[in-house]
PDB file of all heavy atoms in Angstrom:
ATOM      1  N   GLY D 397     127.589   3.059 -32.210  1.00 97.00           N
ATOM      2  CA  GLY D 397     127.747   2.356 -33.617  1.00 97.00           C
ATOM      3  C   GLY D 397     127.332   3.151 -34.667  1.00 97.00           C
ATOM      4  O   GLY D 397     127.132   4.384 -34.675  1.00 97.00           O
ATOM      5  N   PHE D 398     127.160   2.497 -35.862  1.00 98.00           N
ATOM      6  CA  PHE D 398     126.856   3.154 -37.136  1.00 98.00           C
ATOM      7  C   PHE D 398     125.659   4.079 -37.165  1.00 98.00           C
ATOM      8  O   PHE D 398     124.616   3.640 -36.612  1.00 98.00           O
ATOM      9  CB  PHE D 398     126.751   2.136 -38.303  1.00 98.00           C
ATOM     10  CG  PHE D 398     126.592   2.734 -39.653  1.00 98.00           C
ATOM     11  CD1 PHE D 398     127.748   3.088 -40.351  1.00 98.00           C
ATOM     12  CD2 PHE D 398     125.340   2.859 -40.246  1.00 98.00           C
ATOM     13  CE1 PHE D 398     127.541   3.760 -41.559  1.00 98.00           C
ATOM     14  CE2 PHE D 398     125.129   3.418 -41.433  1.00 98.00           C
ATOM     15  CZ  PHE D 398     126.285   3.868 -42.191  1.00 98.00           C
ATOM     16  N   GLY D 399     125.777   5.298 -37.718  1.00 97.00           N
ATOM     17  CA  GLY D 399     124.664   6.079 -37.827  1.00 97.00           C
ATOM     18  C   GLY D 399     124.502   7.026 -36.731  1.00 97.00           C
ATOM     19  O   GLY D 399     123.695   7.971 -36.644  1.00 97.00           O
ATOM     20  N   LYS D 400     125.198   6.747 -35.576  1.00 98.00           N
ATOM     21  CA  LYS D 400     125.177   7.466 -34.347  1.00 98.00           C
ATOM     22  C   LYS D 400     126.576   8.009 -33.940  1.00 98.00           C
ATOM     23  O   LYS D 400     126.721   9.105 -33.429  1.00 98.00           O
ATOM     24  CB  LYS D 400     124.471   6.614 -33.253  1.00 98.00           C
ATOM     25  CG  LYS D 400     123.008   6.204 -33.645  1.00 98.00           C
ATOM     26  CD  LYS D 400     122.547   5.265 -32.594  1.00 98.00           C
ATOM     27  CE  LYS D 400     121.064   4.751 -33.000  1.00 98.00           C
ATOM     28  NZ  LYS D 400     120.465   3.844 -31.926  1.00 98.00           N
ATOM     29  N   ALA D 401     127.496   7.066 -33.951  1.00 98.00           N
ATOM     30  CA  ALA D 401     128.910   7.404 -33.562  1.00 98.00           C
ATOM     31  C   ALA D 401     129.721   7.692 -34.866  1.00 98.00           C
ATOM     32  O   ALA D 401     129.424   7.097 -35.898  1.00 98.00           O
ATOM     33  CB  ALA D 401     129.515   6.320 -32.765  1.00 98.00           C
ATOM     34  N   SER D 402     130.630   8.604 -34.780  1.00 98.00           N
ATOM     35  CA  SER D 402     131.530   8.949 -35.941  1.00 98.00           C
ATOM     36  C   SER D 402     132.569   7.857 -36.059  1.00 98.00           C
ATOM     37  O   SER D 402     132.880   7.106 -35.059  1.00 98.00           O
ATOM     38  CB  SER D 402     132.207  10.284 -35.642  1.00 98.00           C
ATOM     39  OG  SER D 402     132.976  10.701 -36.876  1.00 98.00           O
ATOM     40  N   TYR D 403     133.071   7.619 -37.293  1.00 98.00           N
ATOM     41  CA  TYR D 403     133.949   6.566 -37.578  1.00 98.00           C
ATOM     42  C   TYR D 403     135.154   6.978 -38.466  1.00 98.00           C
ATOM     43  O   TYR D 403     135.006   8.066 -39.211  1.00 98.00           O
ATOM     44  CB  TYR D 403     133.227   5.364 -38.229  1.00 98.00           C
ATOM     45  CG  TYR D 403     132.528   5.670 -39.568  1.00 98.00           C
ATOM     46  CD1 TYR D 403     133.294   5.783 -40.700  1.00 98.00           C
ATOM     47  CD2 TYR D 403     131.165   5.967 -39.666  1.00 98.00           C
ATOM     48  CE1 TYR D 403     132.730   6.020 -41.928  1.00 98.00           C
ATOM     49  CE2 TYR D 403     130.586   6.254 -40.842  1.00 98.00           C
ATOM     50  CZ  TYR D 403     131.348   6.335 -41.948  1.00 98.00           C
ATOM     51  OH  TYR D 403     130.741   6.635 -43.080  1.00 98.00           O
ATOM     52  N   PHE D 404     136.177   6.210 -38.479  1.00 98.00           N
ATOM     53  CA  PHE D 404     137.213   6.146 -39.467  1.00 98.00           C
ATOM     54  C   PHE D 404     137.153   4.688 -40.061  1.00 98.00           C
ATOM     55  O   PHE D 404     137.059   3.843 -39.296  1.00 98.00           O
ATOM     56  CB  PHE D 404     138.625   6.345 -38.928  1.00 98.00           C
ATOM     57  CG  PHE D 404     139.017   7.809 -38.766  1.00 98.00           C
ATOM     58  CD1 PHE D 404     138.329   8.619 -37.841  1.00 98.00           C
ATOM     59  CD2 PHE D 404     140.111   8.330 -39.428  1.00 98.00           C
ATOM     60  CE1 PHE D 404     138.664   9.888 -37.638  1.00 98.00           C
ATOM     61  CE2 PHE D 404     140.541   9.738 -39.275  1.00 98.00           C
ATOM     62  CZ  PHE D 404     139.816  10.451 -38.316  1.00 98.00           C
ATOM     63  N   ARG D 405     137.320   4.591 -41.322  1.00 97.00           N
ATOM     64  CA  ARG D 405     137.240   3.268 -41.922  1.00 97.00           C
ATOM     65  C   ARG D 405     138.307   3.040 -42.971  1.00 97.00           C
ATOM     66  O   ARG D 405     138.819   4.031 -43.523  1.00 97.00           O
ATOM     67  CB  ARG D 405     135.847   2.967 -42.573  1.00 97.00           C
ATOM     68  CG  ARG D 405     135.371   3.818 -43.676  1.00 97.00           C
ATOM     69  CD  ARG D 405     134.145   3.339 -44.243  1.00 97.00           C
ATOM     70  NE  ARG D 405     133.600   4.230 -45.301  1.00 97.00           N
ATOM     71  CZ  ARG D 405     133.979   4.079 -46.590  1.00 97.00           C
ATOM     72  NH1 ARG D 405     134.756   3.131 -46.951  1.00 97.00           N
ATOM     73  NH2 ARG D 405     133.472   5.005 -47.423  1.00 97.00           N
ATOM     74  N   ASN D 406     138.536   1.785 -43.424  1.00 96.00           N
ATOM     75  CA  ASN D 406     139.476   1.374 -44.446  1.00 96.00           C
ATOM     76  C   ASN D 406     140.834   2.132 -44.209  1.00 96.00           C
ATOM     77  O   ASN D 406     141.333   2.871 -45.041  1.00 96.00           O
ATOM     78  CB  ASN D 406     138.887   1.872 -45.859  1.00 96.00           C
ATOM     79  CG  ASN D 406     137.806   0.968 -46.120  1.00 96.00           C
ATOM     80  OD1 ASN D 406     136.666   1.469 -46.212  1.00 96.00           O
ATOM     81  ND2 ASN D 406     137.926  -0.281 -46.430  1.00 96.00           N
ATOM     82  N   LEU D 407     141.358   1.965 -42.968  1.00 97.00           N
ATOM     83  CA  LEU D 407     142.604   2.491 -42.584  1.00 97.00           C
ATOM     84  C   LEU D 407     143.769   1.753 -43.288  1.00 97.00           C
ATOM     85  O   LEU D 407     143.802   0.559 -43.209  1.00 97.00           O
ATOM     86  CB  LEU D 407     142.796   2.469 -41.067  1.00 97.00           C
ATOM     87  CG  LEU D 407     141.770   3.134 -40.241  1.00 97.00           C
ATOM     88  CD1 LEU D 407     142.067   2.942 -38.814  1.00 97.00           C
ATOM     89  CD2 LEU D 407     141.456   4.589 -40.533  1.00 97.00           C
ATOM     90  N   GLN D 408     144.612   2.422 -44.024  1.00 97.00           N
ATOM     91  CA  GLN D 408     145.685   1.786 -44.704  1.00 97.00           C
ATOM     92  C   GLN D 408     147.007   2.629 -44.592  1.00 97.00           C
ATOM     93  O   GLN D 408     146.936   3.857 -44.334  1.00 97.00           O
ATOM     94  CB  GLN D 408     145.473   1.479 -46.186  1.00 97.00           C
ATOM     95  CG  GLN D 408     144.164   0.618 -46.464  1.00 97.00           C
ATOM     96  CD  GLN D 408     143.775   0.681 -47.892  1.00 97.00           C
ATOM     97  OE1 GLN D 408     143.178   1.677 -48.428  1.00 97.00           O
ATOM     98  NE2 GLN D 408     144.172  -0.374 -48.697  1.00 97.00           N
TER      99      GLN D 408
END
Side-chain angles (χ1 to χ4, degrees):
F398 184 82
K400 300 176 181 179
S402 188
Y403 61 80
F404 278 64
R405 64 175 175 86
N406 295 108
L407 307 179
Q408 298 174 283

